[in-house]
């Protein structure tokens, strides 16, 4: 009898029960109490301020727990963006290069912060939308009041989340636009500085203007001026350089006694002496740089004000660099340096190069600081830049001219002399035409690049020397690593990797130096190097060197972890089970692929890639699959089927496409089959799914061997049959159960075909057993004068 159709109230009651069951399941799975008690629901219903976000019902883990933090973060980003915009559109003062770098760094930080907030808010938006889809847009008939209150709270939270999401997207876009505006302003500033034209020093008007600027220039030396403590600054700067020149020989001797090898060219050639002494040269430069920094800190604290002013800060940044140049130059160009016993003319030509280079770097940074702080009038500042440009050019031409007179440097010196002469000529013409800023920037930039290149090369050679010393096969460190199980080949690989990473970092340092506007300020270089690592976020993807390094490190660590885990599973865990070799191979392969998939997802997460960012990649892959990647995808899917169903396992003897051999390996794309001649046949996995494959070992461990013989019709057939069975039974490889059997498989006018079938232990022994049986048959039937041939 048919059941009566339920009434409308009964259907509504069932609907409510179904929804309550769904809510209860979500509560148990997600830990989110969607259903609240009647008292809180009544309280929320009586609230008179609906704009206020209600109390968090998720135990402090919902949107209200992070809403204040995200809103404060967005408000701070908004205030920072307003400040950057106001500074860029400020018309009363000019914006310098250092201030533009600061604005760029602030815009980068805002863009990164808003991107992080955007990712977090997007997660809450997705969760809220999912819950609202479950609850439905409107209340159902006879719906429970707690469900209605929950829907209202979720809708209110959804509006707040979407508002924060829109703000984060807007601020991220504004930060990106402001960053582009800062870059454009920097380019315009550099172009304006290079194209700025002043009065030519060849004109009398230039010198008259210099005389009229005397009060303005002297005002900087008076109390309250930038150079009010000029005497203390001068004494401190000169005294620090003199002290480092005095202690440099003693620090070199101390380093040599401590184990840093130092050799002169009298003991070996110049190249060998440099290679053997590069560690001592670099360490002496580092010690002298640290000494310069400490002496200046002590002097500035004792003789200057608390801050010391911008000029004191410039000296504090420049003196360590000068100390490194002087400390590293003494072991090379000194009286007892590497070049002392070599070519005397070469040492004479390069004498004092380290001091000239250090003083040039110090003068360059001071002139940049004078220009930024408007210490002197424009005419005197221009005159100082002219003197600097001409002095650097003349010194470079003179040094390379003297080097060109040496026999062993003719291949290098003429080219350098030609380039330095060309730069000096261009600078001289530019100065006479009034383009002093161009000449000053050109010489300053070349001086910075040359100094940076020399320091980078020295640090690179030192790093390589340290690695050779540490990873020497006979060294103490290598012996201890050998005891831990690391082979010499592995230590060589580590040394090469560390050498490459060091070279990359040094190239980034040189690139940061080249990005400056000609100054050699350590703060500016460090800031630009930091920006290279912090990077930028482009279309939601974080592109930065620290992310690249982190991803590479993750891949390396994952490689060793996966390999060690595979070894533990294969050598420790799987031997305790009763799985065959095919199952163990499939388990290891699936574990490896799943692990690398998780590593890939982790790298994508670190890089900030989401499903929306990968939409174009998926589209491109779809087009590629449609045109030319069908076979790759087919083999991939077939490999997954082979590992799951295991119709063919590692160790099976198979025959496919006329080739017969043992399955050595089943990968995600192809299967390796070892043939009898020692070669390997690589078969795409799709052939195992779409074509016929003969598996000789999948049914069991034993196999049937059949040998066909042609017997003359005149012979005694019963005797031939009994002899064949007797010969086969005498072989130890042939199983007695089931016993060998002989059947007649074909007839003709003069002979008939008999088939001898035997059961053997393994199909892989079929060839050897067949050879032994044929040999025994030939010998036995020969003694019986019976002629047999194989069919």
């Amino acid at each position: 009898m048919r059941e009566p159709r339920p009434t409308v109230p009964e259907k509504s009651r069932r609907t409510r029960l179904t929804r309550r069951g769904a809510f209860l399941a979500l509560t148990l799975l997600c830990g989110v109490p969607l259903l609240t008690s009647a008292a809180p629901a009544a309280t929320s219903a009586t609230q008179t301020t609906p704009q206020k976000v209600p109390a968090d019902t998720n135990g402090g883990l919902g949107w209200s727990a992070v809403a204040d933090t995200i809103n404060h973060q967005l408000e701070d980003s908004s205030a920072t963006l307003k400040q950057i915009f106001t500074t860029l559109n400020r018309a009363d003062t000019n914006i310098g290069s250092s201030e533009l770098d600061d604005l760029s760094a602030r815009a980068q930080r805002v863009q990164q912060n808003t991107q992080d907030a955007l990712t977090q808010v997007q997660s809450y938006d997705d969760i809220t939308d999912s819950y609202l889809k479950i609850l439905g847009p409107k209340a159902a008939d006879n719906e429970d009041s707690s469900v209605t209150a929950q829907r209202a709270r979720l809708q209110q939270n959804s509006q707040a989340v979407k508002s924060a999401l829109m703000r984060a997207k807007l601020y991220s876009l504004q930060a990106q636009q402001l960053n582009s505006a800062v870059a454009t302003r920097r380019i315009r500033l550099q172009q304006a500085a290079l194209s700025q034209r002043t009065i030519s020093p060849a004109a009398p008007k230039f010198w008259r203007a210099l005389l009229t600027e005397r009060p303005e220039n002297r005002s900087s030396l008076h109390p309250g001026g930038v150079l009010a403590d000029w005497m203390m600054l001068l004494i401190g700067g000169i005294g620090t350089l003199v002290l480092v020149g005095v202690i440099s020989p003693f620090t070199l001797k101390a380093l040599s006694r401590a184990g840093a090898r130092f050799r002169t060219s009298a003991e070996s050639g110049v190249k060998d002496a440099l290679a053997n002494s590069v560690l001592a040269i670099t360490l002496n430069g580092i010690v002298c740089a640290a000494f310069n920094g400490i002496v200046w800190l002590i002097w500035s604290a004792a003789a200057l004000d608390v801050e010391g002013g911008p000029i004191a800060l410039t000296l504090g940044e420049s003196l360590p660099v000068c100390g490194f140049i002087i400390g590293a130059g003494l072991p090379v160009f000194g009286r007892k340096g590497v070049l002392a016993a070599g070519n005397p003319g070469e040492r004479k030509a390069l004498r004092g190069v380290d001091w000239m280079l250090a003083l040039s770097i110090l003068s360059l940074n001071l002139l940049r600081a004078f220009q930024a702080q408007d210490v002197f009038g424009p005419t005197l500042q221009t005159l100082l830049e002219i003197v600097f440009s001409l002095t650097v050019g003349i010194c470079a031409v003179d040094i390379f001219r003297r080097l060109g007179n040496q026999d062993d440097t003719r291949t290098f010196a003429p080219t350098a002399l030609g380039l330095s002469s060309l730069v000096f000529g261009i600078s001289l013409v530019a100065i006479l035409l009034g383009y002093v800023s161009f000449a000053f920037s050109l010489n300053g930039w070349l001086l910075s690049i040359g100094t940076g290149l020399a320091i980078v090369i020295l640090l690179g050679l030192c790093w390589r020397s340290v690695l050779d010393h540490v990873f020497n096969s006979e060294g103490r460190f290598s012996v201890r690593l050998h005891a831990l199980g690391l082979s010499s080949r592995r230590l060589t690989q580590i040394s090469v990797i560390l050498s490459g990473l060091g070279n990359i970092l040094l190239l980034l340092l040189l690139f940061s130096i080249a990005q400056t506007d000609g100054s050699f300020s350590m703060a500016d270089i460090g800031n630009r190097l930091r920006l290279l690592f912090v990077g930028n976020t482009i279309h939601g993807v974080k592109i930065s060197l620290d992310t690249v390094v982190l991803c590479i490190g993750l891949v390396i660590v994952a490689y060793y972890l996966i390999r060690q885990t595979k070894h533990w599973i294969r050598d420790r865990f799987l031997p305790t089970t009763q799985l065959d070799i095919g199952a163990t191979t499939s388990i290891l392969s699936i574990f490896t692929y799943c692990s690398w998939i998780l590593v890939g997802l982790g790298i994508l997460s670190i890089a900030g890639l989401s499903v929306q960012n990968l939409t174009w990649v998926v589209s491109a892959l779809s087009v590629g699959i449609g045109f030319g990647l069908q076979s790759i995808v087919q083999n991939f899917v077939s490999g997954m089927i082979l590992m799951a169903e295991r119709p063919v396992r590692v160790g099976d003897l198979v025959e496919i496409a006329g080739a017969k051999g043992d399955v050595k390996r089943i990968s995600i794309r192809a299967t390796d089959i070892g043939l009898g001649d020692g070669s390997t046949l690589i078969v795409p996995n799709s052939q195992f799914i779409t074509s016929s494959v003969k598996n000789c070992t999948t049914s069991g461990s034993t196999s049937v061997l059949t040998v066909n013989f042609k017997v003359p019709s005149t012979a005694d057939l019963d005797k031939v049959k009994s002899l064949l069975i007797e010969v086969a039974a005498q072989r130890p490889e042939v199983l007695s159960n089931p016993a060998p059997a002989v059947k007649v498989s074909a007839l003709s006018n003069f002979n008939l075909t008999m088939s001898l079938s035997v059961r053997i232990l393994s199909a892989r022994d079929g060839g050897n057993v067949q050879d032994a049986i044929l040999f025994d048959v030939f010998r036995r039937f020969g003694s019986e004068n019976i002629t047999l041939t194989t069919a």
Side-chain angles (χ1 to χ4, degrees), residues 711-720 750 752 781 785-788:
V711 183
S713 57
T714 57
D716 188 354
L717 300 182
D718 294 333
K719 184 177 181 180
V720 171
F750 302 100
L752 72 162
F781 279 76
N785 294 322
I786 300 175
T787 302
L788 291 182

Side-chain angles (χ1 to χ4, degrees), residues 270 333 339 342-351 402-403 406 408-409:
V270 176
F333 308 110
L339 303 179
N343 189 350
E346 183 179 351
R347 178 186 172 274
K348 184 178 179 180
L350 295 175
R351 184 174 55 187
R402 287 183 291 174
L403 278 177
Q406 308 303 317
D408 55 347
T409 56

Side-chain angles (χ1 to χ4, degrees), residues 261-331:
R261 294 180 299 175
F262 177 74
R263 298 180 182 179
T264 62
S265 55
E267 303 173 4
S268 57
V270 176
K271 294 183 179 180
D272 294 336
L274 284 173
N276 294 325
S277 307
V278 64
L279 182 60
I281 294 171
T282 307
L283 291 178
N284 194 60
I286 294 175
V287 171
C288 291
F291 176 81
N292 258 12
I294 294 173
V295 170
W296 176 253
L297 287 177
I298 296 174
W299 175 260
S300 59
L304 302 176
D305 295 336
V306 178
E307 296 182 357
I311 306 303
L313 293 177
T314 302
L315 287 173
E317 292 180 359
S318 305
L319 287 176
V321 180
C322 298
F324 180 85
I325 295 173
I326 295 172
L330 175 69

